[in-house]
Every structure is written in C-alpha cells, then in structure tokens.
Amino acid sequence: MHINVIGAGLAGCEASHQIAKRGIKVKLYEMKPYKKSPAHKSDLFCELVCSNSFKADRVSSAAGLLKEEMRKLDSLLLKAADNARVPAGGALAVDRDIFSEYVTNAIKCNENIEIISEEITKIPENEITVIATGPLTSDKFAEKIYDRFGSAMSFYDAAAPIVTLESVDLERAFFESRYGKGDGTDYLNCPMNKEEYEVFYDALVNAERAPVHDFDVRDPKVYEGCMPIEVMAQRGHDTIRFGPMKPVGLTDPRTGHRPWAVLQLRKENSQGTMFNLVGFQTNLKFGEQKRVFSLIPALKNAEFVRYGVMHRNTFLNSPKVLNNDFCTKTDSNLFFAGQITGVEGYMESASSGIIAGINAARSAKGEDTILLPNTTVIGCLSRYIADDSIKNFQPMGANFGILPELENRPRDKKLRGQAYADRALADLDRYLEDVI
C-alpha cells in the first residue's frame, strides 16, 4: 500500500512526513529539477519564492499560535525553520537556502518516501492521493484540475527585491526594530523626509510595469496580502506611508525625530549579507525597479541580487470542492493541501499539508478522518475552506477573527491574544490525547 503526494512544496513535504511516520509508503512526485515554474529557481524542495518570513513568532498572535499548534502535530517545516532562523524581531524568518536544504535532506533520507522526479499531467485514479501542487501548479495539471472540478480560479502574487548589505548607504540608514523589539539589529531602516518621499512616490506610480504573460491568465485577481507596492500606491498618496512604509515606532538617529516615511530591510540570510525590501512586492520592470527604488536615499547605490516578480497563484473554489478534512466531496481517495485549497501563507499551507497527510493516512487504514477543535487556528482554517455559505471565496490566512469569541474577552489586545492561545492549546492537547 502506498499514498501518492503530488508536489514537494511546503504542504507536500508536510503531508509526506505525516504519512511516512505512520508507516505508510509515499510516492512523492515533484517535477523539479526536470521542470520549474516561472517563479522557481532552486532544485531544492520547499523553495520560498516570496518572503523569507513566516510572520509573528509570539504565541499570543494568530500566526504564532498557528505555529505552536503545528509543533504539537510534529511539523517537519518548523524544525527546519528553527534550524535556519535569522534575526527578525518578533517574527520567525529563515535563511531560505538552509531551510530548503534541511527539508530536502529529511525527505530524501526517509525510507518510507520514494521521490519520483517527473511532471504529473493527470489526476491518479483509484489511489489515495494528496495534491499539493501549490499556487504555481503547472499548466497541464492545472487544466486537468479545472476540467475535473470546473472551479479553479487564479489571482496574482508578487515577491519583493533583495539587495546586498554592503551596497546600502549606512550613513543614510539605521538599525532598529519598531518599538524596540528584538535586539535592535533585526531591521535596517531607510528613512525619507517629505520631499524625498514625494519624489519617490511620483516615480513609483508612473513607473512601467512588466507585462502579464498569457500563461498566467484566467480571471486574474491581485490578492490583498501580496499587493504590489505600485498598485497599493495608486490607491492614495499616503496609502503606503500608512502601510509598509509607516514610520511609527522608529526614530532616525540623525534627526532625533520620526521620519516622514521608512522602508524597512530584513535579513535574507543567516550571514546578514542580503536584505529584502519588506512589503515591496512588485511587478515593475527590472530596470524600473532599479531606477525607482534607488530614489530612496539609503538605496542610491544598492546592488539588487534579485528583482521582484509577479506570478500566477491558482486556487480552488474549495467550499464547492472540499470537505473540512481536505478530502474532495466527490472522491474519498483524493485530498488537496496547501495554497491551492485557499489557505494563504507559508505556515497556513504547511498546516493544511499536515492535516491532509494525517487524514490520507487514516483513510488508508480505514480510520475516521480528523478535524481539530474550532478553537484552534488550524481547525478554523479547515472549516473555512469547506464553508459552503461563503459566496465569494477568497484565500484566508491565520487571524483571530475566524475563531469563536472568548467567553470573558479581555479589553487589552495582548491579553486577548494570549487568552485565545491558552484556550486553543488546552483544547488541542485534550483532543490529541483522545484521537491521535
């Protein structure tokens, strides 16, 4: 007996790990290195094509609670993340190469996992299968999914540029995390006064964008969580100054005052030699990125080691297709996992892989599938993607808004977040004792 897993991204690797640890053989299909999507460059599994941050690490945040729930479920990716961690204030950020190498080695060394390097172009029949091809599903396979379910949609995702530290003008930049969080060296801030911001803003909104290729088109939408900076800027003159360029919680040591606007750079690798432009996902042409972003004084002579790119993300109209155990409504042998299901974010995708993998394994053994308590983030995301009352289904990331209200809701936001976490983890512990 074996289970197929299609795709060696975050969800696929988590699913494979969960199935294999339950003593079931896995056939893991991955088209790398034979073929790559337009956004992928590495031959490694679990390549991070956008940010290198997994969001907040504190358990009193929704993102941090999600990760703690995953740890209790023996997440492979969080072991990799802890091994590849780079300083990022209150966030969990990683050296993306070290992270991917850890996961790839763990999967390759697992005796219950057979890696098959080929592109899958049709959905397997009469075999338990987890489809975890992600938001960059190959054209041929995406068409098969669309033909089968008639519910595939797509939106556009964008990645931020990366620059070298040595090319940043440190006379015009300063290290500091907002409100003094972290050790003070996690973020490198590039401040701007009002005049500098005006020049930058005008150039940004008038810059030339890269064309969207035909292979990327099927009812395209830009997802809010990865809005290109130039699109966000067109919404209003100060929109980005109250968004990714907000200066609150920072003081420019040169002036002793809060800047008018700030671009934050975050460490991209463990050596701290590369930094990414936080919140600056973009679809500008490469030459325009160099021209426009170099108008930020600290980046006047910046060396860009990677420019921002924009690519298609495909996801299902999951409430019409999936049950809350990530199994399809029409085929009990077929599971989906990852961003293709409509969960948004690295760890959200990985968590769906954990649940899909557990449930595929339980199904193979003739056991009932599981659904975590509705007080947990993972449990609520599982319910969200299967909620057929949603008429305009859009991707959802971890947030406290999807959890049931607290009985005694603290007024203080930090205390409220901790209360959500305490309730979720206690319920999860009780559930795992009884079920797994």
PDB file of all heavy atoms in Angstrom, residues 294-324:
ATOM      1  N   SER A 294      16.026  53.042  -6.150  1.00  0.00           N
ATOM      2  CA  SER A 294      17.279  53.744  -5.860  1.00  0.00           C
ATOM      3  C   SER A 294      17.046  55.210  -5.501  1.00  0.00           C
ATOM      4  O   SER A 294      17.977  55.898  -5.059  1.00  0.00           O
ATOM      5  CB  SER A 294      18.229  53.642  -7.062  1.00  0.00           C
ATOM      6  OG  SER A 294      18.642  52.304  -7.271  1.00  0.00           O
ATOM      7  N   LEU A 295      15.827  55.699  -5.664  1.00  0.00           N
ATOM      8  CA  LEU A 295      15.490  57.057  -5.231  1.00  0.00           C
ATOM      9  C   LEU A 295      15.364  57.153  -3.716  1.00  0.00           C
ATOM     10  O   LEU A 295      15.372  58.251  -3.154  1.00  0.00           O
ATOM     11  CB  LEU A 295      14.177  57.510  -5.886  1.00  0.00           C
ATOM     12  CG  LEU A 295      14.239  57.720  -7.407  1.00  0.00           C
ATOM     13  CD1 LEU A 295      12.835  57.974  -7.953  1.00  0.00           C
ATOM     14  CD2 LEU A 295      15.174  58.875  -7.752  1.00  0.00           C
ATOM     15  N   ILE A 296      15.246  56.018  -3.052  1.00  0.00           N
ATOM     16  CA  ILE A 296      15.293  56.008  -1.591  1.00  0.00           C
ATOM     17  C   ILE A 296      16.749  56.263  -1.206  1.00  0.00           C
ATOM     18  O   ILE A 296      17.642  55.518  -1.623  1.00  0.00           O
ATOM     19  CB  ILE A 296      14.798  54.658  -1.049  1.00  0.00           C
ATOM     20  CG1 ILE A 296      13.338  54.436  -1.472  1.00  0.00           C
ATOM     21  CG2 ILE A 296      14.935  54.593   0.472  1.00  0.00           C
ATOM     22  CD1 ILE A 296      12.815  53.048  -1.164  1.00  0.00           C
ATOM     23  N   PRO A 297      17.043  57.319  -0.460  1.00  0.00           N
ATOM     24  CA  PRO A 297      18.435  57.748  -0.256  1.00  0.00           C
ATOM     25  C   PRO A 297      19.403  56.643   0.147  1.00  0.00           C
ATOM     26  O   PRO A 297      20.511  56.573  -0.405  1.00  0.00           O
ATOM     27  CB  PRO A 297      18.300  58.816   0.836  1.00  0.00           C
ATOM     28  CG  PRO A 297      16.942  59.411   0.581  1.00  0.00           C
ATOM     29  CD  PRO A 297      16.079  58.251   0.162  1.00  0.00           C
ATOM     30  N   ALA A 298      19.014  55.771   1.060  1.00  0.00           N
ATOM     31  CA  ALA A 298      19.934  54.727   1.520  1.00  0.00           C
ATOM     32  C   ALA A 298      20.196  53.678   0.446  1.00  0.00           C
ATOM     33  O   ALA A 298      21.160  52.919   0.535  1.00  0.00           O
ATOM     34  CB  ALA A 298      19.390  54.061   2.777  1.00  0.00           C
ATOM     35  N   LEU A 299      19.338  53.632  -0.579  1.00  0.00           N
ATOM     36  CA  LEU A 299      19.485  52.636  -1.645  1.00  0.00           C
ATOM     37  C   LEU A 299      20.002  53.262  -2.938  1.00  0.00           C
ATOM     38  O   LEU A 299      19.890  52.644  -4.006  1.00  0.00           O
ATOM     39  CB  LEU A 299      18.147  51.939  -1.909  1.00  0.00           C
ATOM     40  CG  LEU A 299      17.519  51.167  -0.743  1.00  0.00           C
ATOM     41  CD1 LEU A 299      16.272  50.436  -1.211  1.00  0.00           C
ATOM     42  CD2 LEU A 299      18.505  50.210  -0.106  1.00  0.00           C
ATOM     43  N   LYS A 300      20.579  54.430  -2.849  1.00  0.00           N
ATOM     44  CA  LYS A 300      21.036  55.147  -4.042  1.00  0.00           C
ATOM     45  C   LYS A 300      21.967  54.297  -4.902  1.00  0.00           C
ATOM     46  O   LYS A 300      21.885  54.298  -6.134  1.00  0.00           O
ATOM     47  CB  LYS A 300      21.736  56.439  -3.642  1.00  0.00           C
ATOM     48  CG  LYS A 300      22.222  57.266  -4.826  1.00  0.00           C
ATOM     49  CD  LYS A 300      22.888  58.563  -4.364  1.00  0.00           C
ATOM     50  CE  LYS A 300      23.374  59.378  -5.557  1.00  0.00           C
ATOM     51  NZ  LYS A 300      24.017  60.651  -5.119  1.00  0.00           N
ATOM     52  N   ASN A 301      22.840  53.531  -4.243  1.00  0.00           N
ATOM     53  CA  ASN A 301      23.804  52.698  -4.977  1.00  0.00           C
ATOM     54  C   ASN A 301      23.591  51.209  -4.688  1.00  0.00           C
ATOM     55  O   ASN A 301      24.519  50.403  -4.773  1.00  0.00           O
ATOM     56  CB  ASN A 301      25.231  53.098  -4.602  1.00  0.00           C
ATOM     57  CG  ASN A 301      25.543  54.534  -4.973  1.00  0.00           C
ATOM     58  OD1 ASN A 301      25.331  54.948  -6.114  1.00  0.00           O
ATOM     59  ND2 ASN A 301      26.039  55.303  -4.006  1.00  0.00           N
ATOM     60  N   ALA A 302      22.359  50.848  -4.379  1.00  0.00           N
ATOM     61  CA  ALA A 302      22.070  49.469  -3.969  1.00  0.00           C
ATOM     62  C   ALA A 302      22.308  48.481  -5.110  1.00  0.00           C
ATOM     63  O   ALA A 302      22.000  48.755  -6.275  1.00  0.00           O
ATOM     64  CB  ALA A 302      20.630  49.366  -3.488  1.00  0.00           C
ATOM     65  N   GLU A 303      22.856  47.319  -4.745  1.00  0.00           N
ATOM     66  CA  GLU A 303      23.028  46.215  -5.679  1.00  0.00           C
ATOM     67  C   GLU A 303      21.879  45.232  -5.476  1.00  0.00           C
ATOM     68  O   GLU A 303      21.714  44.665  -4.391  1.00  0.00           O
ATOM     69  CB  GLU A 303      24.356  45.506  -5.435  1.00  0.00           C
ATOM     70  CG  GLU A 303      24.561  44.282  -6.317  1.00  0.00           C
ATOM     71  CD  GLU A 303      25.768  43.465  -5.912  1.00  0.00           C
ATOM     72  OE1 GLU A 303      26.481  43.873  -4.970  1.00  0.00           O
ATOM     73  OE2 GLU A 303      25.983  42.398  -6.524  1.00  0.00           O
ATOM     74  N   PHE A 304      21.079  45.035  -6.509  1.00  0.00           N
ATOM     75  CA  PHE A 304      19.928  44.147  -6.427  1.00  0.00           C
ATOM     76  C   PHE A 304      20.347  42.741  -6.859  1.00  0.00           C
ATOM     77  O   PHE A 304      20.725  42.517  -8.005  1.00  0.00           O
ATOM     78  CB  PHE A 304      18.798  44.653  -7.322  1.00  0.00           C
ATOM     79  CG  PHE A 304      18.138  45.903  -6.809  1.00  0.00           C
ATOM     80  CD1 PHE A 304      18.734  47.145  -6.980  1.00  0.00           C
ATOM     81  CD2 PHE A 304      16.930  45.834  -6.128  1.00  0.00           C
ATOM     82  CE1 PHE A 304      18.141  48.303  -6.502  1.00  0.00           C
ATOM     83  CE2 PHE A 304      16.325  46.981  -5.646  1.00  0.00           C
ATOM     84  CZ  PHE A 304      16.923  48.221  -5.826  1.00  0.00           C
ATOM     85  N   VAL A 305      20.282  41.793  -5.927  1.00  0.00           N
ATOM     86  CA  VAL A 305      20.649  40.413  -6.249  1.00  0.00           C
ATOM     87  C   VAL A 305      19.435  39.629  -6.722  1.00  0.00           C
ATOM     88  O   VAL A 305      19.570  38.545  -7.294  1.00  0.00           O
ATOM     89  CB  VAL A 305      21.297  39.704  -5.048  1.00  0.00           C
ATOM     90  CG1 VAL A 305      22.615  40.363  -4.706  1.00  0.00           C
ATOM     91  CG2 VAL A 305      20.367  39.707  -3.843  1.00  0.00           C
ATOM     92  N   ARG A 306      18.239  40.153  -6.443  1.00  0.00           N
ATOM     93  CA  ARG A 306      17.016  39.585  -7.008  1.00  0.00           C
ATOM     94  C   ARG A 306      16.008  40.699  -7.149  1.00  0.00           C
ATOM     95  O   ARG A 306      15.794  41.480  -6.216  1.00  0.00           O
ATOM     96  CB  ARG A 306      16.417  38.495  -6.118  1.00  0.00           C
ATOM     97  CG  ARG A 306      15.218  37.780  -6.770  1.00  0.00           C
ATOM     98  CD  ARG A 306      14.464  36.886  -5.788  1.00  0.00           C
ATOM     99  NE  ARG A 306      13.659  37.675  -4.862  1.00  0.00           N
ATOM    100  CZ  ARG A 306      12.985  37.164  -3.831  1.00  0.00           C
ATOM    101  NH1 ARG A 306      13.049  35.883  -3.593  1.00  0.00           N
ATOM    102  NH2 ARG A 306      12.272  37.948  -3.039  1.00  0.00           N
ATOM    103  N   TYR A 307      15.399  40.797  -8.313  1.00  0.00           N
ATOM    104  CA  TYR A 307      14.327  41.765  -8.507  1.00  0.00           C
ATOM    105  C   TYR A 307      12.980  41.123  -8.190  1.00  0.00           C
ATOM    106  O   TYR A 307      12.842  39.898  -8.204  1.00  0.00           O
ATOM    107  CB  TYR A 307      14.337  42.292  -9.949  1.00  0.00           C
ATOM    108  CG  TYR A 307      15.488  43.228 -10.244  1.00  0.00           C
ATOM    109  CD1 TYR A 307      16.567  42.816 -11.008  1.00  0.00           C
ATOM    110  CD2 TYR A 307      15.490  44.524  -9.728  1.00  0.00           C
ATOM    111  CE1 TYR A 307      17.630  43.673 -11.272  1.00  0.00           C
ATOM    112  CE2 TYR A 307      16.549  45.384  -9.985  1.00  0.00           C
ATOM    113  CZ  TYR A 307      17.619  44.962 -10.753  1.00  0.00           C
ATOM    114  OH  TYR A 307      18.665  45.822 -10.998  1.00  0.00           O
ATOM    115  N   GLY A 308      12.019  41.962  -7.905  1.00  0.00           N
ATOM    116  CA  GLY A 308      10.684  41.467  -7.619  1.00  0.00           C
ATOM    117  C   GLY A 308      10.044  40.864  -8.863  1.00  0.00           C
ATOM    118  O   GLY A 308      10.314  41.297  -9.985  1.00  0.00           O
ATOM    119  N   VAL A 309       9.212  39.863  -8.657  1.00  0.00           N
ATOM    120  CA  VAL A 309       8.497  39.226  -9.761  1.00  0.00           C
ATOM    121  C   VAL A 309       7.039  39.036  -9.373  1.00  0.00           C
ATOM    122  O   VAL A 309       6.682  39.029  -8.193  1.00  0.00           O
ATOM    123  CB  VAL A 309       9.102  37.859 -10.142  1.00  0.00           C
ATOM    124  CG1 VAL A 309      10.502  38.023 -10.699  1.00  0.00           C
ATOM    125  CG2 VAL A 309       9.124  36.924  -8.924  1.00  0.00           C
ATOM    126  N   MET A 310       6.196  38.866 -10.371  1.00  0.00           N
ATOM    127  CA  MET A 310       4.781  38.626 -10.150  1.00  0.00           C
ATOM    128  C   MET A 310       4.387  37.384 -10.934  1.00  0.00           C
ATOM    129  O   MET A 310       4.818  37.200 -12.069  1.00  0.00           O
ATOM    130  CB  MET A 310       3.970  39.829 -10.619  1.00  0.00           C
ATOM    131  CG  MET A 310       2.537  39.835 -10.155  1.00  0.00           C
ATOM    132  SD  MET A 310       1.772  41.430 -10.547  1.00  0.00           S
ATOM    133  CE  MET A 310       0.158  41.172  -9.817  1.00  0.00           C
ATOM    134  N   HIS A 311       3.576  36.524 -10.335  1.00  0.00           N
ATOM    135  CA  HIS A 311       3.237  35.275 -10.985  1.00  0.00           C
ATOM    136  C   HIS A 311       1.828  34.831 -10.595  1.00  0.00           C
ATOM    137  O   HIS A 311       1.242  35.334  -9.655  1.00  0.00           O
ATOM    138  CB  HIS A 311       4.250  34.182 -10.629  1.00  0.00           C
ATOM    139  CG  HIS A 311       4.494  34.060  -9.152  1.00  0.00           C
ATOM    140  ND1 HIS A 311       3.650  33.380  -8.309  1.00  0.00           N
ATOM    141  CD2 HIS A 311       5.479  34.572  -8.357  1.00  0.00           C
ATOM    142  CE1 HIS A 311       4.111  33.454  -7.070  1.00  0.00           C
ATOM    143  NE2 HIS A 311       5.209  34.163  -7.069  1.00  0.00           N
ATOM    144  N   ARG A 312       1.352  33.851 -11.329  1.00  0.00           N
ATOM    145  CA  ARG A 312       0.008  33.350 -11.084  1.00  0.00           C
ATOM    146  C   ARG A 312      -0.053  32.489  -9.839  1.00  0.00           C
ATOM    147  O   ARG A 312       0.844  31.700  -9.566  1.00  0.00           O
ATOM    148  CB  ARG A 312      -0.445  32.497 -12.279  1.00  0.00           C
ATOM    149  CG  ARG A 312      -1.889  32.014 -12.179  1.00  0.00           C
ATOM    150  CD  ARG A 312      -2.159  30.929 -13.209  1.00  0.00           C
ATOM    151  NE  ARG A 312      -1.444  29.696 -12.863  1.00  0.00           N
ATOM    152  CZ  ARG A 312      -1.183  28.731 -13.738  1.00  0.00           C
ATOM    153  NH1 ARG A 312      -1.512  28.870 -14.995  1.00  0.00           N
ATOM    154  NH2 ARG A 312      -0.536  27.644 -13.353  1.00  0.00           N
ATOM    155  N   ASN A 313      -1.119  32.619  -9.071  1.00  0.00           N
ATOM    156  CA  ASN A 313      -1.439  31.695  -7.999  1.00  0.00           C
ATOM    157  C   ASN A 313      -2.797  31.081  -8.303  1.00  0.00           C
ATOM    158  O   ASN A 313      -3.767  31.797  -8.513  1.00  0.00           O
ATOM    159  CB  ASN A 313      -1.509  32.412  -6.646  1.00  0.00           C
ATOM    160  CG  ASN A 313      -0.146  32.551  -6.005  1.00  0.00           C
ATOM    161  OD1 ASN A 313       0.828  32.008  -6.492  1.00  0.00           O
ATOM    162  ND2 ASN A 313      -0.077  33.282  -4.916  1.00  0.00           N
ATOM    163  N   THR A 314      -2.871  29.775  -8.329  1.00  0.00           N
ATOM    164  CA  THR A 314      -4.117  29.087  -8.622  1.00  0.00           C
ATOM    165  C   THR A 314      -4.707  28.518  -7.343  1.00  0.00           C
ATOM    166  O   THR A 314      -3.984  27.956  -6.528  1.00  0.00           O
ATOM    167  CB  THR A 314      -3.873  27.940  -9.628  1.00  0.00           C
ATOM    168  OG1 THR A 314      -3.315  28.470 -10.815  1.00  0.00           O
ATOM    169  CG2 THR A 314      -5.158  27.208  -9.948  1.00  0.00           C
ATOM    170  N   PHE A 315      -6.020  28.672  -7.151  1.00  0.00           N
ATOM    171  CA  PHE A 315      -6.665  28.048  -6.003  1.00  0.00           C
ATOM    172  C   PHE A 315      -8.061  27.597  -6.384  1.00  0.00           C
ATOM    173  O   PHE A 315      -8.670  28.087  -7.337  1.00  0.00           O
ATOM    174  CB  PHE A 315      -6.694  28.977  -4.793  1.00  0.00           C
ATOM    175  CG  PHE A 315      -7.543  30.209  -4.966  1.00  0.00           C
ATOM    176  CD1 PHE A 315      -8.843  30.253  -4.467  1.00  0.00           C
ATOM    177  CD2 PHE A 315      -7.036  31.338  -5.598  1.00  0.00           C
ATOM    178  CE1 PHE A 315      -9.619  31.386  -4.618  1.00  0.00           C
ATOM    179  CE2 PHE A 315      -7.809  32.474  -5.743  1.00  0.00           C
ATOM    180  CZ  PHE A 315      -9.113  32.503  -5.255  1.00  0.00           C
ATOM    181  N   LEU A 316      -8.565  26.633  -5.626  1.00  0.00           N
ATOM    182  CA  LEU A 316      -9.885  26.072  -5.860  1.00  0.00           C
ATOM    183  C   LEU A 316     -10.972  26.927  -5.224  1.00  0.00           C
ATOM    184  O   LEU A 316     -10.728  27.634  -4.250  1.00  0.00           O
ATOM    185  CB  LEU A 316      -9.969  24.670  -5.255  1.00  0.00           C
ATOM    186  CG  LEU A 316      -9.079  23.571  -5.830  1.00  0.00           C
ATOM    187  CD1 LEU A 316      -9.091  22.376  -4.896  1.00  0.00           C
ATOM    188  CD2 LEU A 316      -9.542  23.173  -7.214  1.00  0.00           C
ATOM    189  N   ASN A 317     -12.162  26.814  -5.752  1.00  0.00           N
ATOM    190  CA  ASN A 317     -13.340  27.296  -5.040  1.00  0.00           C
ATOM    191  C   ASN A 317     -13.690  26.196  -4.030  1.00  0.00           C
ATOM    192  O   ASN A 317     -14.635  25.425  -4.199  1.00  0.00           O
ATOM    193  CB  ASN A 317     -14.488  27.543  -6.014  1.00  0.00           C
ATOM    194  CG  ASN A 317     -15.697  28.148  -5.339  1.00  0.00           C
ATOM    195  OD1 ASN A 317     -15.662  28.447  -4.157  1.00  0.00           O
ATOM    196  ND2 ASN A 317     -16.763  28.326  -6.099  1.00  0.00           N
ATOM    197  N   SER A 318     -12.880  26.122  -2.990  1.00  0.00           N
ATOM    198  CA  SER A 318     -12.866  24.955  -2.104  1.00  0.00           C
ATOM    199  C   SER A 318     -14.203  24.623  -1.451  1.00  0.00           C
ATOM    200  O   SER A 318     -14.508  23.441  -1.266  1.00  0.00           O
ATOM    201  CB  SER A 318     -11.784  25.137  -1.039  1.00  0.00           C
ATOM    202  OG  SER A 318     -10.503  25.041  -1.631  1.00  0.00           O
ATOM    203  N   PRO A 319     -15.035  25.596  -1.050  1.00  0.00           N
ATOM    204  CA  PRO A 319     -16.319  25.216  -0.456  1.00  0.00           C
ATOM    205  C   PRO A 319     -17.180  24.344  -1.371  1.00  0.00           C
ATOM    206  O   PRO A 319     -18.026  23.589  -0.886  1.00  0.00           O
ATOM    207  CB  PRO A 319     -16.990  26.567  -0.192  1.00  0.00           C
ATOM    208  CG  PRO A 319     -15.849  27.507   0.007  1.00  0.00           C
ATOM    209  CD  PRO A 319     -14.818  27.049  -0.978  1.00  0.00           C
ATOM    210  N   LYS A 320     -16.972  24.455  -2.668  1.00  0.00           N
ATOM    211  CA  LYS A 320     -17.716  23.628  -3.610  1.00  0.00           C
ATOM    212  C   LYS A 320     -17.030  22.302  -3.897  1.00  0.00           C
ATOM    213  O   LYS A 320     -17.638  21.382  -4.448  1.00  0.00           O
ATOM    214  CB  LYS A 320     -17.903  24.379  -4.938  1.00  0.00           C
ATOM    215  CG  LYS A 320     -18.562  25.737  -4.798  1.00  0.00           C
ATOM    216  CD  LYS A 320     -19.956  25.638  -4.201  1.00  0.00           C
ATOM    217  CE  LYS A 320     -20.609  27.011  -4.132  1.00  0.00           C
ATOM    218  NZ  LYS A 320     -21.935  26.949  -3.453  1.00  0.00           N
ATOM    219  N   VAL A 321     -15.761  22.191  -3.508  1.00  0.00           N
ATOM    220  CA  VAL A 321     -14.952  21.039  -3.905  1.00  0.00           C
ATOM    221  C   VAL A 321     -14.532  20.171  -2.723  1.00  0.00           C
ATOM    222  O   VAL A 321     -14.508  18.941  -2.835  1.00  0.00           O
ATOM    223  CB  VAL A 321     -13.690  21.514  -4.664  1.00  0.00           C
ATOM    224  CG1 VAL A 321     -12.781  20.341  -5.017  1.00  0.00           C
ATOM    225  CG2 VAL A 321     -14.066  22.282  -5.920  1.00  0.00           C
ATOM    226  N   LEU A 322     -14.197  20.794  -1.582  1.00  0.00           N
ATOM    227  CA  LEU A 322     -13.558  20.071  -0.486  1.00  0.00           C
ATOM    228  C   LEU A 322     -14.428  19.962   0.758  1.00  0.00           C
ATOM    229  O   LEU A 322     -15.241  20.848   1.064  1.00  0.00           O
ATOM    230  CB  LEU A 322     -12.247  20.768  -0.105  1.00  0.00           C
ATOM    231  CG  LEU A 322     -11.168  20.877  -1.182  1.00  0.00           C
ATOM    232  CD1 LEU A 322      -9.959  21.624  -0.627  1.00  0.00           C
ATOM    233  CD2 LEU A 322     -10.761  19.498  -1.693  1.00  0.00           C
ATOM    234  N   ASN A 323     -14.210  18.886   1.505  1.00  0.00           N
ATOM    235  CA  ASN A 323     -14.721  18.767   2.862  1.00  0.00           C
ATOM    236  C   ASN A 323     -13.707  19.378   3.817  1.00  0.00           C
ATOM    237  O   ASN A 323     -12.568  19.690   3.433  1.00  0.00           O
ATOM    238  CB  ASN A 323     -14.947  17.291   3.223  1.00  0.00           C
ATOM    239  CG  ASN A 323     -16.030  16.656   2.381  1.00  0.00           C
ATOM    240  OD1 ASN A 323     -17.095  17.233   2.178  1.00  0.00           O
ATOM    241  ND2 ASN A 323     -15.752  15.454   1.871  1.00  0.00           N
ATOM    242  N   ASN A 324     -14.073  19.506   5.091  1.00  0.00           N
ATOM    243  CA  ASN A 324     -13.161  20.147   6.035  1.00  0.00           C
ATOM    244  C   ASN A 324     -11.992  19.258   6.463  1.00  0.00           C
ATOM    245  O   ASN A 324     -11.145  19.690   7.244  1.00  0.00           O
ATOM    246  CB  ASN A 324     -13.910  20.669   7.260  1.00  0.00           C
ATOM    247  CG  ASN A 324     -14.765  19.605   7.928  1.00  0.00           C
ATOM    248  OD1 ASN A 324     -14.451  18.418   7.876  1.00  0.00           O
ATOM    249  ND2 ASN A 324     -15.852  20.032   8.557  1.00  0.00           N
TER     250      ASN A 324
END
